Amino acid sequence: MAKNVQEEVKRLAVLTSGGDASGMNAAIRAVVRWGITLGYEVYGVRRGYKGLVEDDIVRMEYKSVSNTVHTGGTLLRTSRYPEFSEVENAKKGAENLLKRGINNLIVIGGDGSFRGAKLLHDETQLNVVTIPGTIDNDMAYTEYTIGYDTACNTVLDAILKLRDTITSHDRIMILEVMGRESGNIALNSAVAGGAEYVLVPEMPVDVDKIAASVKKGFDEKGKTSTIIILAEGKAHLKDELIEKISKATNRTVNHMSLSYMQRGGNPTMADRVLGAKLGAHAVELIDEGQSGRAVGIKGQNVFDVTIAAALDGKKGFDEKLYRIAETISK
Ligand code: F6P
């Protein structure tokens, strides 16, 4: 006998917010396709929280994410929108979803985006789940964030190319990398790329000592070139480094900021797999009726915690790896 009761339609939306990160498209793809498979109508909010408030919301079909798993950036686009910290804006954004019968939202972004998601969870009727997406890998609760591995590999590629030119010219190169207040990108790519020095916000720096050590490398250790990785959080030391090292060594010191190059490009395998795993888990949480949860990864295992817990604490810095870098490369 046919049921005379109309089944309730399940709906969820997804958005990306803050700095784009390679692998976000892999996560969006997983959310869309896992969501459709579990019976959801899926929607994409374009341009992050700004688009949410401005009602820029589109239907996503299975085919909407075809041919995107390997692409960088975010197909939903993104924005920096600090105004979203105002409760009135969060409520307006939630209303734009609720009026379409969408009561579930998955947010992909970094800590600022997580704060917006927490506000939505605390102040509106939406169920909200977050996925960590930022090249900085600066969130304490998760071992990795989407986009970090790709960014590090872009730095490695730059080191490889810069080495060709600095060894040809017997020069010193300061390569500045992103990461805000986190030295994770700098440290790990310095170790993997064999850079002689790495300067990170988590550790004290003595520019005079570095200049003397670079000189010693040339004079006593047979070095003919030197690479210094300078994290964004220590970038204010750039001019002092150039001045003191060129004076100590009497060599040309070049500086290059890799800047936004680190954010783009095809995601690595690690970032694609991470996006798929975290995206699928986020949809499963939504399907269980959960809200205010953040998904993360440790080793191979996906887990979830409250968004409040995900925002708590400062990411640990691997001092042992820093000591290794200091010891084996210079
Ligand atoms: O958070 C990612 C990041 O790329 C940081 O490493 C960098 O400090 C910042 O974003 C740059 O932000 P914007 O894109 O707003 O210039």
Side-chain angles (χ1 to χ4, degrees):
M1 198 172 74
K3 279 201 262 176
N4 201 14
V5 181
Q6 199 174 348
E7 297 252 327
E8 207 186 316
V9 182
K10 302 193 289 184
R11 297 186 181 90
L12 73 83
V14 55
L15 65 79
T16 48
S17 158
D20 59 294
S22 289
M24 279 183 166
N25 287 340
I28 295 168
R29 175 174 174 268
V31 167
V32 170
R33 293 190 167 170
W34 205 252
I36 290 171
T37 305
L38 294 186
Y40 284 82
E41 271 183 15
V42 181
Y43 293 79
V45 180
R46 296 197 293 199
R47 298 180 295 111
Y49 290 129
K50 189 166 198 292
L52 184 62
V53 172
E54 292 174 359
D55 206 12
D56 192 357
I57 299 165
V58 293
R59 182 78 186 267
M60 307 282 285
E61 307 288 355
Y62 203 86
K63 287 290 287 177
S64 311
V65 289
S66 292
N67 245 326
T68 59
V69 69
H70 61 290
T71 56
T74 160
L75 65 96
L76 286 173
R77 308 210 212 145
T78 187
S79 59
R80 300 256 184 226
Y81 190 60
E83 295 89 336
F84 201 71
S85 59
E86 292 160 29
V87 178
E88 284 319 304
N89 279 332
K91 286 188 171 162
K92 192 172 171 204
E95 197 42 49
N96 287 333
L97 291 175
L98 293 167
K99 74 185 181 191
R100 291 176 169 85
I102 308 167
N103 62 339
N104 301 298
L105 176 66
I106 293 174
V107 171
I108 308 171
D111 54 358
S113 311
F114 275 39
R115 273 189 282 279
K118 184 171 180 306
L119 195 62
L120 285 169
H121 165 74
D122 291 343
E123 301 288 338
T124 77
Q125 296 305 308
L126 291 178
N127 298 323
V128 190
V129 171
T130 56
I131 297 175
T134 164
I135 64 166
D136 300 335
N137 198 19
D138 58 352
M139 304 184 82
Y141 81 102
T142 183
E143 193 174 355
Y144 292 110
T145 55
I146 294 168
Y148 166 71
D149 187 68
T150 305
C152 286
N153 277 286
T154 300
V155 177
L156 279 186
D157 188 50
I159 291 174
L160 193 73
K161 288 174 176 154
L162 291 170
R163 218 175 255 298
D164 286 345
T165 183
I166 65 164
T167 50
S168 304
H169 286 269
D170 299 337
R171 283 185 185 169
I172 296 148
M173 173 64 71
I174 299 173
L175 175 61
E176 188 180 321
V177 302
M178 277 184 169
R180 286 190 199 275
E181 283 311 305
S182 165
N184 259 318
I185 293 177
L187 175 60
N188 286 275
S189 40
V191 170
E196 278 79 5
Y197 299 87
V198 55
L199 279 58
V200 293
E202 291 89 345
M203 301 303 284
V205 172
D206 182 331
V207 177
D208 292 306
K209 261 194 187 166
I210 291 176
S213 172
V214 174
K215 177 173 162 41
K216 195 171 167 193
F218 287 115
D219 293 351
E220 296 174 24
K221 294 183 181 170
K223 294 231 178 239
T224 57
S225 64
T226 292
I227 292 191
I228 300 168
I229 305 295
L230 178 62
E232 181 179 352
K234 279 279 198 273
H236 57 279
L237 294 175
K238 180 192 93 182
D239 291 340
E240 191 185 346
L241 281 165
I242 295 172
E243 191 201 316
K244 291 187 170 167
I245 297 172
S246 53
K247 200 165 162 206
T249 60
N250 205 21
R251 285 171 194 251
T252 302
V253 181
N254 291 131
H255 165 267
M256 184 196 159
S257 173
L258 204 49
S259 189
Y260 295 94
M261 292 285 288
Q262 288 154 98
R263 289 231 295 247
N266 297 346
T268 57
M269 185 182 81
D271 276 328
R272 298 180 204 190
V273 172
L274 185 60
K277 280 185 172 181
L278 298 185
H281 191 70
V283 174
E284 281 161 6
L285 290 175
I286 290 288
D287 203 44
E288 289 166 11
Q290 302 220 40
S291 182
R293 307 295 295 176
V295 303
I297 190 129
K298 191 162 178 29
Q300 294 300 311
N301 300 320
V302 176
F303 63 89
D304 53 272
V305 296
T306 63
I307 298 176
L311 283 165
D312 215 27
K314 191 170 158 40
K315 192 159 191 117
F317 180 72
D318 191 343
E319 279 194 39
K320 178 75 192 288
L321 187 61
Y322 180 78
R323 299 287 168 225
I324 293 170
E326 274 199 319
T327 310
I328 65 175
S329 295
K330 72 181 173 205

